[in-house]
Amino acid sequence: MRLSTGRIQLNASLKALLLRWEETKPGWNDPVCQSLEEEFVEPLGQHVAATVRAIDRLAQMVDRVYRELES
């Protein structure tokens, strides 16, 4: 699997999860829901964004290595 494929899948999975979460919240509005959102759902977006940035940097390094090996 290419890094770009993993990056795309990660973003798509996060988007699907957040969509499902928004669909779930209206029927589950209690302190447990609030806690779950604050502890896990909200930070997940930040973690995924950091991971995507790391994947982008890694992809640049891998591309540079391939170019150097070709020359």
Side-chain angles (χ1 to χ4, degrees):
M1 176 185 347
R2 294 184 51 91
L3 288 172
S4 60
T5 304
R7 181 187 194 279
I8 291 167
Q9 289 176 343
L10 181 59
N11 276 324
S13 296
L14 176 62
K15 186 176 179 179
L17 175 85
L18 293 176
L19 180 63
R20 295 287 187 188
W21 178 249
E22 290 303 317
E23 292 171 354
T24 302
K25 281 189 343 181
W28 183 30
N29 190 12
D30 68 3
V32 174
C33 175
Q34 183 69 27
S35 175
L36 184 69
E37 184 169 34
E38 290 172 0
E39 267 188 77
F40 299 103
V41 177
E42 290 174 1
L44 188 59
Q46 297 168 353
H47 294 305
V48 168
T51 301
V52 166
R53 286 191 302 272
I55 289 170
D56 290 343
R57 287 192 306 271
L58 183 58
Q60 289 174 355
M61 286 188 266
V62 169
D63 288 344
R64 186 174 61 228
V65 167
Y66 278 133
R67 285 192 307 272
E68 289 176 6
L69 290 173
E70 288 176 344
S71 57

Short mmCIF file of all heavy atoms in Angstrom, two decimals:
data_model
loop_
_atom_site.label_atom_id
_atom_site.label_comp_id
_atom_site.label_asym_id
_atom_site.label_seq_id
_atom_site.Cartn_x
_atom_site.Cartn_y
_atom_site.Cartn_z
N MET A 1 0.84 -1.17 0.00
CA MET A 1 0.00 0.00 0.00
C MET A 1 0.89 1.24 0.00
O MET A 1 1.84 1.32 0.76
CB MET A 1 -0.91 -0.02 1.23
CG MET A 1 -1.73 1.23 1.33
SD MET A 1 -2.80 1.51 2.79
CE MET A 1 -2.91 0.02 3.64
N ARG A 2 0.56 2.16 -0.85
CA ARG A 2 1.29 3.42 -0.88
C ARG A 2 0.87 4.29 0.30
O ARG A 2 -0.23 4.16 0.81
CB ARG A 2 1.01 4.15 -2.19
CG ARG A 2 1.56 3.41 -3.41
CD ARG A 2 1.34 4.21 -4.68
NE ARG A 2 1.83 5.57 -4.56
CZ ARG A 2 3.07 5.98 -4.88
NH1 ARG A 2 3.93 5.12 -5.33
NH2 ARG A 2 3.40 7.24 -4.75
N LEU A 3 1.75 5.19 0.69
CA LEU A 3 1.44 6.09 1.80
C LEU A 3 0.21 6.93 1.50
O LEU A 3 -0.61 7.18 2.37
CB LEU A 3 2.64 6.98 2.10
CG LEU A 3 3.82 6.29 2.76
CD1 LEU A 3 5.02 7.23 2.83
CD2 LEU A 3 3.47 5.79 4.13
N SER A 4 0.08 7.35 0.24
CA SER A 4 -1.07 8.19 -0.11
C SER A 4 -2.37 7.42 0.04
O SER A 4 -3.40 7.99 0.43
CB SER A 4 -0.92 8.73 -1.53
OG SER A 4 -0.84 7.67 -2.46
N THR A 5 -2.34 6.12 -0.21
CA THR A 5 -3.54 5.30 -0.06
C THR A 5 -3.95 5.24 1.42
O THR A 5 -5.13 5.41 1.76
CB THR A 5 -3.30 3.88 -0.59
OG1 THR A 5 -2.89 3.95 -1.94
CG2 THR A 5 -4.55 3.03 -0.47
N GLY A 6 -3.00 5.03 2.29
CA GLY A 6 -3.27 5.00 3.72
C GLY A 6 -3.79 6.34 4.22
O GLY A 6 -4.70 6.40 5.06
N ARG A 7 -3.22 7.41 3.70
CA ARG A 7 -3.64 8.76 4.08
C ARG A 7 -5.10 8.99 3.69
O ARG A 7 -5.89 9.50 4.48
CB ARG A 7 -2.73 9.77 3.38
CG ARG A 7 -3.02 11.21 3.67
CD ARG A 7 -2.14 12.08 2.75
NE ARG A 7 -2.09 13.45 3.15
CZ ARG A 7 -3.03 14.33 2.86
NH1 ARG A 7 -4.12 13.97 2.22
NH2 ARG A 7 -2.90 15.58 3.25
N ILE A 8 -5.44 8.59 2.49
CA ILE A 8 -6.81 8.76 2.00
C ILE A 8 -7.78 7.91 2.82
O ILE A 8 -8.85 8.38 3.22
CB ILE A 8 -6.89 8.40 0.49
CG1 ILE A 8 -6.14 9.45 -0.31
CG2 ILE A 8 -8.33 8.26 0.03
CD1 ILE A 8 -5.89 9.06 -1.76
N GLN A 9 -7.39 6.68 3.11
CA GLN A 9 -8.24 5.80 3.90
C GLN A 9 -8.43 6.33 5.32
O GLN A 9 -9.52 6.24 5.89
CB GLN A 9 -7.67 4.39 3.93
CG GLN A 9 -7.79 3.66 2.63
CD GLN A 9 -7.12 2.28 2.66
OE1 GLN A 9 -6.32 2.00 3.54
NE2 GLN A 9 -7.47 1.45 1.70
N LEU A 10 -7.38 6.87 5.90
CA LEU A 10 -7.46 7.41 7.25
C LEU A 10 -8.43 8.59 7.29
O LEU A 10 -9.30 8.66 8.17
CB LEU A 10 -6.07 7.84 7.72
CG LEU A 10 -5.96 8.42 9.12
CD1 LEU A 10 -6.45 7.41 10.16
CD2 LEU A 10 -4.54 8.83 9.41
N ASN A 11 -8.30 9.50 6.33
CA ASN A 11 -9.21 10.65 6.28
C ASN A 11 -10.65 10.21 6.04
O ASN A 11 -11.58 10.74 6.65
CB ASN A 11 -8.77 11.64 5.20
CG ASN A 11 -7.72 12.59 5.70
OD1 ASN A 11 -7.74 13.02 6.85
ND2 ASN A 11 -6.79 12.94 4.84
N ALA A 12 -10.85 9.25 5.15
CA ALA A 12 -12.20 8.77 4.86
C ALA A 12 -12.81 8.09 6.08
O ALA A 12 -14.00 8.27 6.38
CB ALA A 12 -12.17 7.81 3.67
N SER A 13 -12.00 7.33 6.81
CA SER A 13 -12.50 6.66 8.01
C SER A 13 -12.88 7.67 9.09
O SER A 13 -13.91 7.51 9.76
CB SER A 13 -11.44 5.70 8.56
OG SER A 13 -11.20 4.67 7.64
N LEU A 14 -12.07 8.69 9.26
CA LEU A 14 -12.40 9.73 10.24
C LEU A 14 -13.69 10.43 9.85
O LEU A 14 -14.56 10.65 10.69
CB LEU A 14 -11.26 10.74 10.37
CG LEU A 14 -11.56 11.91 11.31
CD1 LEU A 14 -11.79 11.43 12.73
CD2 LEU A 14 -10.46 12.95 11.23
N LYS A 15 -13.82 10.76 8.58
CA LYS A 15 -15.03 11.43 8.11
C LYS A 15 -16.26 10.56 8.36
O LYS A 15 -17.30 11.05 8.84
CB LYS A 15 -14.89 11.75 6.62
CG LYS A 15 -16.02 12.56 6.07
CD LYS A 15 -15.78 12.91 4.61
CE LYS A 15 -16.93 13.71 4.04
NZ LYS A 15 -16.71 14.08 2.63
N ALA A 16 -16.17 9.26 8.07
CA ALA A 16 -17.29 8.34 8.29
C ALA A 16 -17.62 8.24 9.78
O ALA A 16 -18.79 8.24 10.17
CB ALA A 16 -16.96 6.97 7.72
N LEU A 17 -16.59 8.15 10.62
CA LEU A 17 -16.80 8.06 12.05
C LEU A 17 -17.50 9.32 12.58
O LEU A 17 -18.46 9.22 13.35
CB LEU A 17 -15.48 7.86 12.78
CG LEU A 17 -15.60 7.89 14.30
CD1 LEU A 17 -15.98 6.51 14.81
CD2 LEU A 17 -14.33 8.37 14.93
N LEU A 18 -17.03 10.49 12.16
CA LEU A 18 -17.63 11.73 12.63
C LEU A 18 -19.07 11.88 12.15
O LEU A 18 -19.92 12.40 12.89
CB LEU A 18 -16.78 12.94 12.20
CG LEU A 18 -15.39 13.01 12.84
CD1 LEU A 18 -14.60 14.19 12.27
CD2 LEU A 18 -15.48 13.08 14.36
N LEU A 19 -19.35 11.41 10.95
CA LEU A 19 -20.72 11.44 10.44
C LEU A 19 -21.62 10.55 11.30
O LEU A 19 -22.71 10.96 11.72
CB LEU A 19 -20.75 10.99 8.98
CG LEU A 19 -22.11 10.95 8.32
CD1 LEU A 19 -22.73 12.35 8.25
CD2 LEU A 19 -21.99 10.37 6.92
N ARG A 20 -21.15 9.35 11.59
CA ARG A 20 -21.93 8.43 12.45
C ARG A 20 -22.10 9.00 13.85
O ARG A 20 -23.15 8.85 14.47
CB ARG A 20 -21.25 7.07 12.54
CG ARG A 20 -21.19 6.33 11.26
CD ARG A 20 -22.53 5.81 10.89
NE ARG A 20 -22.37 4.97 9.71
CZ ARG A 20 -23.35 4.47 9.04
NH1 ARG A 20 -24.58 4.71 9.41
NH2 ARG A 20 -23.13 3.75 7.99
N TRP A 21 -21.06 9.64 14.35
CA TRP A 21 -21.14 10.23 15.69
C TRP A 21 -22.22 11.32 15.71
O TRP A 21 -23.02 11.37 16.65
CB TRP A 21 -19.79 10.80 16.10
CG TRP A 21 -19.83 11.45 17.44
CD1 TRP A 21 -19.71 12.78 17.71
CD2 TRP A 21 -20.02 10.81 18.70
NE1 TRP A 21 -19.82 13.00 19.05
CE2 TRP A 21 -20.00 11.80 19.69
CE3 TRP A 21 -20.19 9.48 19.08
CZ2 TRP A 21 -20.16 11.52 21.04
CZ3 TRP A 21 -20.36 9.21 20.43
CH2 TRP A 21 -20.34 10.21 21.39
N GLU A 22 -22.25 12.17 14.70
CA GLU A 22 -23.26 13.23 14.64
C GLU A 22 -24.66 12.64 14.52
O GLU A 22 -25.62 13.22 15.05
CB GLU A 22 -22.97 14.18 13.48
CG GLU A 22 -21.74 15.05 13.69
CD GLU A 22 -21.81 15.89 14.96
OE1 GLU A 22 -22.88 16.47 15.27
OE2 GLU A 22 -20.79 15.97 15.68
N GLU A 23 -24.79 11.51 13.86
CA GLU A 23 -26.10 10.84 13.76
C GLU A 23 -26.51 10.23 15.10
O GLU A 23 -27.69 10.14 15.40
CB GLU A 23 -26.05 9.74 12.70
CG GLU A 23 -25.90 10.25 11.29
CD GLU A 23 -25.64 9.14 10.27
OE1 GLU A 23 -25.46 7.96 10.68
OE2 GLU A 23 -25.61 9.44 9.08
N THR A 24 -25.53 9.82 15.89
CA THR A 24 -25.79 9.15 17.17
C THR A 24 -26.13 10.12 18.29
O THR A 24 -26.97 9.85 19.14
CB THR A 24 -24.56 8.30 17.57
OG1 THR A 24 -24.30 7.37 16.54
CG2 THR A 24 -24.78 7.57 18.88
N LYS A 25 -25.47 11.27 18.30
CA LYS A 25 -25.60 12.21 19.42
C LYS A 25 -27.03 12.63 19.75
O LYS A 25 -27.37 12.69 20.93
CB LYS A 25 -24.74 13.44 19.17
CG LYS A 25 -23.30 13.21 19.46
CD LYS A 25 -22.41 14.43 19.45
CE LYS A 25 -22.91 15.66 18.81
NZ LYS A 25 -21.95 16.77 18.84
N PRO A 26 -27.90 12.92 18.79
CA PRO A 26 -29.24 13.37 19.18
C PRO A 26 -30.02 12.35 20.02
O PRO A 26 -30.81 12.73 20.88
CB PRO A 26 -29.94 13.61 17.84
CG PRO A 26 -28.85 13.90 16.89
CD PRO A 26 -27.69 13.03 17.35
N GLY A 27 -29.78 11.09 19.81
CA GLY A 27 -30.48 10.07 20.58
C GLY A 27 -29.75 9.66 21.85
O GLY A 27 -30.25 8.82 22.61
N TRP A 28 -28.59 10.24 22.07
CA TRP A 28 -27.78 9.85 23.23
C TRP A 28 -27.18 11.11 23.84
O TRP A 28 -26.02 11.41 23.69
CB TRP A 28 -26.69 8.88 22.80
CG TRP A 28 -25.85 8.35 23.91
CD1 TRP A 28 -26.21 8.15 25.20
CD2 TRP A 28 -24.48 7.95 23.81
NE1 TRP A 28 -25.15 7.65 25.92
CE2 TRP A 28 -24.07 7.51 25.09
CE3 TRP A 28 -23.56 7.92 22.78
CZ2 TRP A 28 -22.80 7.05 25.35
CZ3 TRP A 28 -22.29 7.46 23.04
CH2 TRP A 28 -21.91 7.02 24.32
N ASN A 29 -28.00 11.86 24.53
CA ASN A 29 -27.57 13.14 25.06
C ASN A 29 -27.53 13.07 26.58
O ASN A 29 -28.46 13.46 27.27
CB ASN A 29 -28.54 14.24 24.59
CG ASN A 29 -28.01 15.62 24.89
OD1 ASN A 29 -26.85 15.79 25.24
ND2 ASN A 29 -28.87 16.61 24.78
N ASP A 30 -26.41 12.55 27.11
CA ASP A 30 -26.23 12.45 28.56
C ASP A 30 -24.77 12.69 28.89
O ASP A 30 -23.94 12.91 28.00
CB ASP A 30 -26.74 11.11 29.08
CG ASP A 30 -25.90 9.92 28.62
OD1 ASP A 30 -24.88 10.12 27.93
OD2 ASP A 30 -26.27 8.78 28.94
N PRO A 31 -24.42 12.70 30.17
CA PRO A 31 -23.02 12.96 30.56
C PRO A 31 -22.02 11.96 29.97
O PRO A 31 -20.88 12.33 29.68
CB PRO A 31 -23.05 12.88 32.08
CG PRO A 31 -24.45 13.23 32.45
CD PRO A 31 -25.30 12.66 31.35
N VAL A 32 -22.42 10.72 29.79
CA VAL A 32 -21.51 9.72 29.22
C VAL A 32 -21.19 10.09 27.77
O VAL A 32 -20.04 10.02 27.35
CB VAL A 32 -22.12 8.30 29.31
CG1 VAL A 32 -21.23 7.30 28.60
CG2 VAL A 32 -22.33 7.90 30.76
N CYS A 33 -22.20 10.50 27.03
CA CYS A 33 -21.99 10.93 25.64
C CYS A 33 -21.03 12.12 25.59
O CYS A 33 -20.10 12.15 24.79
CB CYS A 33 -23.34 11.29 25.02
SG CYS A 33 -23.24 11.99 23.36
N GLN A 34 -21.28 13.10 26.45
CA GLN A 34 -20.43 14.29 26.51
C GLN A 34 -18.99 13.92 26.84
O GLN A 34 -18.05 14.41 26.23
CB GLN A 34 -20.99 15.27 27.54
CG GLN A 34 -20.23 16.56 27.63
CD GLN A 34 -20.41 17.43 26.40
OE1 GLN A 34 -21.42 17.35 25.71
NE2 GLN A 34 -19.43 18.25 26.13
N SER A 35 -18.83 13.03 27.81
CA SER A 35 -17.49 12.61 28.22
C SER A 35 -16.78 11.88 27.08
O SER A 35 -15.58 12.12 26.83
CB SER A 35 -17.59 11.70 29.44
OG SER A 35 -16.33 11.19 29.79
N LEU A 36 -17.50 10.99 26.42
CA LEU A 36 -16.92 10.25 25.30
C LEU A 36 -16.47 11.20 24.19
O LEU A 36 -15.38 11.05 23.63
CB LEU A 36 -17.93 9.24 24.76
CG LEU A 36 -17.42 8.32 23.66
CD1 LEU A 36 -16.41 7.34 24.20
CD2 LEU A 36 -18.58 7.58 23.01
N GLU A 37 -17.30 12.18 23.91
CA GLU A 37 -16.95 13.14 22.87
C GLU A 37 -15.71 13.95 23.25
O GLU A 37 -14.79 14.11 22.44
CB GLU A 37 -18.12 14.09 22.60
CG GLU A 37 -17.86 15.05 21.46
CD GLU A 37 -19.10 15.78 21.03
OE1 GLU A 37 -19.95 16.09 21.90
OE2 GLU A 37 -19.22 16.05 19.83
N GLU A 38 -15.67 14.42 24.49
CA GLU A 38 -14.53 15.23 24.94
C GLU A 38 -13.24 14.42 25.03
O GLU A 38 -12.17 14.92 24.69
CB GLU A 38 -14.85 15.87 26.30
CG GLU A 38 -15.90 16.95 26.21
CD GLU A 38 -16.35 17.45 27.58
OE1 GLU A 38 -15.83 16.95 28.62
OE2 GLU A 38 -17.23 18.32 27.62
N GLU A 39 -13.34 13.19 25.51
CA GLU A 39 -12.16 12.37 25.74
C GLU A 39 -11.61 11.71 24.48
O GLU A 39 -10.40 11.52 24.35
CB GLU A 39 -12.46 11.26 26.75
CG GLU A 39 -12.12 11.64 28.16
CD GLU A 39 -12.25 10.44 29.08
OE1 GLU A 39 -11.35 9.58 29.06
OE2 GLU A 39 -13.26 10.39 29.79
N PHE A 40 -12.51 11.33 23.57
CA PHE A 40 -12.07 10.51 22.44
C PHE A 40 -12.37 11.12 21.07
O PHE A 40 -11.49 11.14 20.21
CB PHE A 40 -12.70 9.11 22.52
CG PHE A 40 -12.30 8.37 23.75
CD1 PHE A 40 -13.17 8.25 24.81
CD2 PHE A 40 -11.04 7.81 23.86
CE1 PHE A 40 -12.81 7.58 25.96
CE2 PHE A 40 -10.66 7.13 25.00
CZ PHE A 40 -11.54 7.02 26.06
N VAL A 41 -13.59 11.57 20.86
CA VAL A 41 -13.98 12.01 19.52
C VAL A 41 -13.25 13.30 19.13
O VAL A 41 -12.66 13.37 18.04
CB VAL A 41 -15.51 12.17 19.41
CG1 VAL A 41 -15.90 12.70 18.04
CG2 VAL A 41 -16.20 10.84 19.68
N GLU A 42 -13.31 14.30 19.98
CA GLU A 42 -12.67 15.58 19.65
C GLU A 42 -11.15 15.44 19.46
O GLU A 42 -10.62 15.92 18.46
CB GLU A 42 -13.00 16.63 20.70
CG GLU A 42 -14.45 17.07 20.65
CD GLU A 42 -14.83 18.01 21.77
OE1 GLU A 42 -13.96 18.35 22.61
OE2 GLU A 42 -16.01 18.41 21.82
N PRO A 43 -10.43 14.78 20.37
CA PRO A 43 -8.98 14.63 20.16
C PRO A 43 -8.62 13.79 18.94
O PRO A 43 -7.55 13.96 18.36
CB PRO A 43 -8.49 13.94 21.43
CG PRO A 43 -9.53 14.18 22.45
CD PRO A 43 -10.83 14.29 21.69
N LEU A 44 -9.52 12.90 18.53
CA LEU A 44 -9.23 12.05 17.40
C LEU A 44 -8.94 12.86 16.14
O LEU A 44 -8.02 12.55 15.39
CB LEU A 44 -10.39 11.07 17.16
CG LEU A 44 -10.14 9.99 16.13
CD1 LEU A 44 -8.94 9.13 16.51
CD2 LEU A 44 -11.38 9.13 15.98
N GLY A 45 -9.71 13.91 15.91
CA GLY A 45 -9.48 14.76 14.74
C GLY A 45 -8.08 15.37 14.76
O GLY A 45 -7.40 15.42 13.74
N GLN A 46 -7.65 15.81 15.93
CA GLN A 46 -6.31 16.38 16.06
C GLN A 46 -5.23 15.32 15.84
O GLN A 46 -4.22 15.59 15.19
CB GLN A 46 -6.15 17.02 17.44
CG GLN A 46 -7.08 18.18 17.68
CD GLN A 46 -7.10 18.61 19.13
OE1 GLN A 46 -6.51 17.97 20.00
NE2 GLN A 46 -7.80 19.70 19.40
N HIS A 47 -5.46 14.13 16.36
CA HIS A 47 -4.49 13.05 16.19
C HIS A 47 -4.39 12.63 14.73
O HIS A 47 -3.28 12.38 14.22
CB HIS A 47 -4.84 11.85 17.06
CG HIS A 47 -4.74 12.11 18.53
ND1 HIS A 47 -3.60 12.59 19.13
CD2 HIS A 47 -5.64 11.96 19.52
CE1 HIS A 47 -3.81 12.72 20.42
NE2 HIS A 47 -5.05 12.35 20.68
N VAL A 48 -5.52 12.55 14.07
CA VAL A 48 -5.51 12.18 12.65
C VAL A 48 -4.81 13.27 11.83
O VAL A 48 -4.01 12.95 10.96
CB VAL A 48 -6.94 11.91 12.12
CG1 VAL A 48 -6.96 11.81 10.61
CG2 VAL A 48 -7.49 10.63 12.75
N ALA A 49 -5.06 14.51 12.12
CA ALA A 49 -4.40 15.61 11.40
C ALA A 49 -2.88 15.52 11.58
O ALA A 49 -2.12 15.69 10.61
CB ALA A 49 -4.92 16.95 11.87
N ALA A 50 -2.43 15.26 12.80
CA ALA A 50 -0.99 15.12 13.06
C ALA A 50 -0.42 13.92 12.31
O ALA A 50 0.69 13.98 11.76
CB ALA A 50 -0.72 15.00 14.56
N THR A 51 -1.17 12.84 12.28
CA THR A 51 -0.73 11.64 11.57
C THR A 51 -0.63 11.89 10.08
O THR A 51 0.33 11.47 9.43
CB THR A 51 -1.69 10.47 11.86
OG1 THR A 51 -1.72 10.25 13.28
CG2 THR A 51 -1.25 9.21 11.15
N VAL A 52 -1.60 12.60 9.53
CA VAL A 52 -1.58 12.93 8.09
C VAL A 52 -0.36 13.80 7.77
O VAL A 52 0.31 13.58 6.76
CB VAL A 52 -2.90 13.60 7.67
CG1 VAL A 52 -2.78 14.25 6.30
CG2 VAL A 52 -4.03 12.58 7.68
N ARG A 53 -0.07 14.75 8.64
CA ARG A 53 1.13 15.58 8.41
C ARG A 53 2.40 14.72 8.43
O ARG A 53 3.30 14.90 7.61
CB ARG A 53 1.23 16.70 9.45
CG ARG A 53 0.22 17.81 9.23
CD ARG A 53 0.50 19.03 10.12
NE ARG A 53 0.51 18.73 11.54
CZ ARG A 53 -0.56 18.73 12.33
NH1 ARG A 53 -1.75 19.02 11.82
NH2 ARG A 53 -0.46 18.47 13.61
N ALA A 54 2.46 13.78 9.36
CA ALA A 54 3.61 12.88 9.42
C ALA A 54 3.70 12.00 8.18
O ALA A 54 4.79 11.77 7.64
CB ALA A 54 3.53 12.01 10.69
N ILE A 55 2.56 11.50 7.71
CA ILE A 55 2.54 10.70 6.49
C ILE A 55 3.03 11.53 5.31
O ILE A 55 3.81 11.04 4.49
CB ILE A 55 1.12 10.15 6.22
CG1 ILE A 55 0.77 9.07 7.24
CG2 ILE A 55 1.00 9.60 4.80
CD1 ILE A 55 -0.69 8.63 7.20
N ASP A 56 2.61 12.78 5.23
CA ASP A 56 3.06 13.65 4.14
C ASP A 56 4.57 13.85 4.17
O ASP A 56 5.24 13.79 3.14
CB ASP A 56 2.35 15.00 4.20
CG ASP A 56 0.87 14.92 3.83
OD1 ASP A 56 0.46 13.90 3.22
OD2 ASP A 56 0.14 15.87 4.15
N ARG A 57 5.10 14.08 5.37
CA ARG A 57 6.56 14.24 5.48
C ARG A 57 7.29 12.95 5.10
O ARG A 57 8.31 12.98 4.40
CB ARG A 57 6.94 14.66 6.91
CG ARG A 57 6.58 16.09 7.24
CD ARG A 57 7.22 16.57 8.54
NE ARG A 57 6.94 15.71 9.68
CZ ARG A 57 5.90 15.82 10.50
NH1 ARG A 57 5.01 16.76 10.30
NH2 ARG A 57 5.74 14.99 11.51
N LEU A 58 6.78 11.84 5.56
CA LEU A 58 7.38 10.55 5.24
C LEU A 58 7.32 10.28 3.74
O LEU A 58 8.30 9.81 3.15
CB LEU A 58 6.69 9.44 6.01
CG LEU A 58 7.26 8.04 5.85
CD1 LEU A 58 8.73 8.00 6.26
CD2 LEU A 58 6.45 7.05 6.68
N ALA A 59 6.21 10.61 3.12
CA ALA A 59 6.07 10.41 1.67
C ALA A 59 7.10 11.25 0.92
O ALA A 59 7.68 10.78 -0.07
CB ALA A 59 4.66 10.75 1.23
N GLN A 60 7.34 12.47 1.37
CA GLN A 60 8.35 13.31 0.73
C GLN A 60 9.74 12.69 0.86
O GLN A 60 10.51 12.69 -0.10
CB GLN A 60 8.35 14.71 1.36
CG GLN A 60 7.14 15.53 1.01
CD GLN A 60 7.11 16.85 1.77
OE1 GLN A 60 7.95 17.12 2.63
NE2 GLN A 60 6.12 17.67 1.46
N MET A 61 10.04 12.15 2.03
CA MET A 61 11.34 11.51 2.22
C MET A 61 11.48 10.27 1.35
O MET A 61 12.53 10.05 0.74
CB MET A 61 11.54 11.14 3.69
CG MET A 61 11.81 12.31 4.58
SD MET A 61 12.26 11.79 6.25
CE MET A 61 10.65 11.87 7.04
N VAL A 62 10.44 9.48 1.27
CA VAL A 62 10.49 8.27 0.45
C VAL A 62 10.67 8.65 -1.01
O VAL A 62 11.48 8.04 -1.73
CB VAL A 62 9.21 7.42 0.65
CG1 VAL A 62 9.10 6.31 -0.38
CG2 VAL A 62 9.19 6.83 2.06
N ASP A 63 9.95 9.65 -1.48
CA ASP A 63 10.10 10.12 -2.86
C ASP A 63 11.53 10.59 -3.13
O ASP A 63 12.11 10.29 -4.18
CB ASP A 63 9.12 11.24 -3.18
CG ASP A 63 7.69 10.76 -3.30
OD1 ASP A 63 7.47 9.53 -3.45
OD2 ASP A 63 6.78 11.61 -3.23
N ARG A 64 12.10 11.32 -2.18
CA ARG A 64 13.47 11.81 -2.33
C ARG A 64 14.45 10.64 -2.41
O ARG A 64 15.37 10.62 -3.24
CB ARG A 64 13.85 12.75 -1.19
CG ARG A 64 15.21 13.40 -1.39
CD ARG A 64 15.53 14.43 -0.35
NE ARG A 64 15.56 13.84 0.98
CZ ARG A 64 14.93 14.35 2.04
NH1 ARG A 64 14.24 15.46 1.95
NH2 ARG A 64 15.01 13.75 3.22
N VAL A 65 14.25 9.63 -1.57
CA VAL A 65 15.13 8.45 -1.60
C VAL A 65 15.02 7.75 -2.94
O VAL A 65 16.03 7.35 -3.54
CB VAL A 65 14.80 7.50 -0.43
CG1 VAL A 65 15.46 6.15 -0.61
CG2 VAL A 65 15.18 8.13 0.90
N TYR A 66 13.80 7.57 -3.45
CA TYR A 66 13.63 6.94 -4.76
C TYR A 66 14.34 7.72 -5.86
O TYR A 66 15.01 7.14 -6.72
CB TYR A 66 12.14 6.80 -5.12
CG TYR A 66 11.46 5.60 -4.51
CD1 TYR A 66 10.23 5.75 -3.87
CD2 TYR A 66 12.02 4.34 -4.54
CE1 TYR A 66 9.59 4.67 -3.29
CE2 TYR A 66 11.40 3.25 -3.97
CZ TYR A 66 10.17 3.42 -3.36
OH TYR A 66 9.55 2.34 -2.79
N ARG A 67 14.21 9.05 -5.82
CA ARG A 67 14.88 9.88 -6.84
C ARG A 67 16.39 9.74 -6.74
O ARG A 67 17.09 9.65 -7.76
CB ARG A 67 14.48 11.34 -6.70
CG ARG A 67 13.08 11.65 -7.22
CD ARG A 67 12.82 13.15 -7.33
NE ARG A 67 13.09 13.89 -6.11
CZ ARG A 67 12.20 14.11 -5.12
NH1 ARG A 67 11.00 13.58 -5.23
NH2 ARG A 67 12.53 14.78 -4.06
N GLU A 68 16.92 9.73 -5.52
CA GLU A 68 18.36 9.59 -5.34
C GLU A 68 18.84 8.22 -5.80
O GLU A 68 19.93 8.11 -6.36
CB GLU A 68 18.73 9.82 -3.87
CG GLU A 68 18.59 11.27 -3.45
CD GLU A 68 18.87 11.47 -1.98
OE1 GLU A 68 19.29 10.51 -1.28
OE2 GLU A 68 18.64 12.61 -1.49
N LEU A 69 18.07 7.20 -5.56
CA LEU A 69 18.46 5.86 -6.00
C LEU A 69 18.42 5.72 -7.52
O LEU A 69 19.20 4.95 -8.09
CB LEU A 69 17.56 4.81 -5.36
CG LEU A 69 17.76 4.60 -3.87
CD1 LEU A 69 16.69 3.65 -3.32
CD2 LEU A 69 19.15 4.05 -3.57
N GLU A 70 17.52 6.45 -8.16
CA GLU A 70 17.42 6.38 -9.62
C GLU A 70 18.57 7.08 -10.32
O GLU A 70 18.89 6.77 -11.45
CB GLU A 70 16.09 6.98 -10.08
CG GLU A 70 14.90 6.10 -9.74
CD GLU A 70 13.58 6.76 -10.11
OE1 GLU A 70 13.54 7.99 -10.35
OE2 GLU A 70 12.57 6.03 -10.14
N SER A 71 19.15 8.07 -9.66
CA SER A 71 20.24 8.83 -10.32
C SER A 71 21.61 8.28 -10.00
O SER A 71 21.83 7.32 -9.40
CB SER A 71 20.17 10.29 -9.91
OG SER A 71 20.24 10.43 -8.51
#
